[in-house]
Amino acid sequence: MHPVLRRCITTMASKILPCDTRAIHFPALDAAPQVSDPTTLRNLQTAAQALRSGSLVAFPTETVYGLGGSAVPSSDAIPKIYKAKGRPSDNPLIVHIAATSQLPSLIDPEYSDHLPQCYSALMERFWPGPLTILFPTIPSKLVSERATCGLTTVGIRMPAHPVARALLAFADVPVAAPSANKSGRPSPTQASHVDQDLRMEADLAYILDGGSCNVGLESTVVSALPGKGAADGGEKEILRVLRLGGISPEDIQTCLDEANLSQSVTLEYDSKATAVDKDFRPSTPGMKYKHYSPNAKVILLQPCSSSDSPDIVTFLKDLRGKKVGLLYIEPSALHQSVASAVISLQSRSLGPDHETQAQRLFQGLRSLDAENVDVILVECVEEEGLGRTVMERLRKAAGGSDSIAVRC
Ligand code: TXA
Ligand code: MG
């Protein structure tokens, strides 16, 4: 092998630093991490130092891998994140913290005693975990204004993944981190996905490898701050889900009920909201952009028994000559019919339940892309619980097209 090529490969490979999640322990919620494996400890500390010095580090969270950079007001890491991802500059970043003790330093003190009453219940129930909450902030004083894109709110989340929590604790700075994919691509749920998208980015110092993400979909973004679209001056608080994610609206409602807040807080969400809905005005800037798209065309299929719908074999005739991939649920009404009609079908199971379907979705899209299929057929999942988020991501992956009903 040519020495320059070997050096390049070594440099690329050396970006991935393995971490053993089982070796990381937190004696209490806000306590410092204890790491029993020396390699994991060294890798976490190396990555934390890189974050502190303004470099980028990709790291696993329970949702998806994030591309992190320091979010302190003086940070010069944020423009590097936008550049590496090719991200539109008006789409703000979520800021990640290791402990709730970091919160006061990020929140505008004028409002810290007047936060929505439901926030304490949400944090207590869902942090650490896949919930991002919007807080009032002072950009350029408390947090990098490049991370909030000049907004006076900041989305904050305390991730649950041990590698993320330990990295954030060692770095001891708030870390802005979008999903670690090229903008528009399916989010990464494995270190290798980050490597595929971002390995050539010189500003990315390290990728911490903590295995597969177990939620598999991004965090749910919520806000109960008064503002455009929220109830003005009313008695009731409006808690809006700005982006569906790893915590379902049903789980949020249960949390409100259990905290005796169901009378005073109304939960609002729109599970059909997609970036291309003409009438939907995005309340979180990221909603309007192309998202989660594999290279192949995505077509959503809804199996049905109606004689008004085309049967699957007729539908597949239009795909003759194309290389076809299929993501199916278990048990599948579709899998057998498609497999018997399409030669050399590439198929992947999304599994039997919403949690598994969420976990496998992005990996499924990426792995079928790797097979160079022209079309990815996806069997629709039921729209309840996490299934709402799965379908919202799928509609975006399909460019906003609705599902096609087929008989099988
Ligand atoms: O699970 C996750 O949330 C992952 C991991 C890495 O934490 N991060 C993630 O970030 O999905 P990103 O950048 O891909 O999506 C952040 C979403 C965008 O839709 C953005 O517009 C919205 O959150 N957002 C962030 N800050 C906001 C703010 N201040 N106001 C409204 N929306 C905001
Ligand atoms: Mg993203």
Side-chain angles (χ1 to χ4, degrees):
M1 187 188 292
H2 192 280
V4 173
L5 188 58
R6 186 177 310 125
R7 204 171 336 118
C8 281
I9 289 171
T10 318
T11 314
M12 289 170 198
S14 67
K15 282 189 174 180
I16 300 187
L17 305 179
C19 290
D20 181 355
T21 51
R22 292 161 309 177
I24 305 170
H25 299 282
F26 294 84
L29 187 60
D30 272 9
Q34 294 172 351
V35 184
S36 56
D37 168 49
T39 306
T40 302
L41 180 61
R42 196 179 52 243
N43 289 345
L44 284 166
Q45 286 173 336
T46 303
Q49 178 52 40
L51 281 176
R52 267 199 306 274
S53 61
S55 296
L56 305 187
V57 171
F59 59 97
T61 80
E62 71 282 16
T63 59
V64 300
Y65 274 70
L67 176 63
S70 167
V72 297
S74 58
S75 169
D76 56 7
I78 308 298
K80 297 178 190 167
I81 295 180
Y82 283 89
K83 181 165 161 273
K85 276 186 65 89
R87 181 180 177 101
S89 58
D90 66 347
N91 192 4
L93 306 178
I94 292 170
V95 172
H96 298 67
I97 55 173
T100 46
S101 54
Q102 287 173 279
L103 257 187
S105 67
L106 293 165
I107 298 175
D108 183 343
E110 200 181 315
Y111 296 99
S112 45
D113 290 335
H114 310 284
L115 291 173
Q117 52 172 338
C118 61
Y119 277 17
S120 323
L122 292 174
M123 286 187 280
E124 202 167 304
R125 171 74 183 79
F126 297 116
W127 278 10
L131 186 74
T132 296
I133 304 175
L134 258 54
F135 290 90
T137 191
I138 309 179
S140 85
K141 186 162 174 229
L142 304 180
V143 65
S144 161
E145 64 179 342
R146 287 159 151 168
T148 62
C149 299
L151 296 173
T152 52
T153 55
V154 59
I156 301 182
R157 139 165 152 81
M158 182 176 166
H161 196 292
V163 172
R165 278 179 77 188
L167 174 70
L168 293 165
F170 287 142
D172 201 22
V173 287
V175 171
S179 48
N181 51 288
K182 283 280 180 198
S183 266
R185 298 264 303 140
S187 298
T189 56
Q190 297 176 8
S192 62
H193 299 163
V194 182
D195 196 41
Q196 277 159 19
D197 277 20
L198 301 177
R199 89 168 61 127
M200 302 310 280
E201 296 304 323
D203 289 325
L204 175 58
Y206 303 107
I207 302 170
L208 292 181
D209 186 349
S212 292
C213 303
N214 64 0
V215 176
L217 301 171
E218 298 84 345
S219 62
T220 302
V221 181
V222 296
S223 170
L225 301 177
K228 262 188 248 155
D232 295 317
E235 286 288 293
K236 264 197 149 186
E237 235 165 62
I238 309 276
L239 175 63
R240 286 179 301 151
V241 175
L242 303 180
R243 178 180 71 176
L244 290 166
I247 305 280
S248 68
E250 288 89 337
D251 286 345
I252 295 176
Q253 187 59 57
T254 304
C255 166
L256 297 176
D257 295 346
E258 287 175 1
N260 291 323
L261 290 171
S262 42
Q263 294 305 311
S264 51
V265 182
T266 305
L267 178 65
E268 284 186 353
Y269 63 93
D270 176 1
S271 57
K272 297 272 163 127
T274 73
V276 288
D277 272 357
K278 280 201 291 304
D279 301 330
F280 173 65
R281 293 206 326 266
S283 42
T284 144
M287 295 290 279
K288 65 180 181 280
Y289 292 109
K290 181 172 177 253
H291 261 85
Y292 318 116
S293 307
N295 299 324
K297 180 182 166 68
V298 173
I299 300 176
L300 309 183
L301 295 181
Q302 180 70 67
C304 71
S305 50
S306 160
S307 54
D308 296 341
S309 303
D311 74 83
I312 182 72
V313 178
T314 313
F315 169 83
L316 289 169
K317 280 191 181 132
D318 287 344
L319 300 180
R320 213 176 284 145
K322 300 230 186 285
K323 201 167 168 195
V324 178
L326 173 70
L327 289 180
Y328 62 94
I329 60 178
E330 286 176 44
S332 174
L334 208 63
H335 187 210
Q336 277 304 329
S337 326
V338 178
S340 52
V342 177
I343 308 159
S344 69
L345 174 74
Q346 289 290 334
S347 60
R348 308 279 184 275
S349 165
L350 286 174
D353 53 72
H354 291 146
E355 283 67 30
T356 315
Q357 290 154 5
Q359 235 170 44
R360 293 184 185 174
L361 175 65
F362 291 137
Q363 155 66 7
L365 293 173
R366 281 182 176 262
S367 94
L368 289 175
D369 244 359
E371 302 288 349
N372 286 320
V373 299
D374 302 302
V375 179
I376 300 176
L377 305 176
V378 189
E379 186 168 4
C380 292
V381 312
E382 202 187 338
E383 293 203 45
E384 61 169 34
L386 271 191
R388 293 180 204 281
T389 312
V390 172
M391 283 308 295
E392 191 263 354
R393 301 302 194 261
L394 278 172
R395 284 197 193 91
K396 285 190 173 160
S401 305
D402 239 325
S403 57
I404 299 174
V406 285
R407 235 175 328 115
C408 39

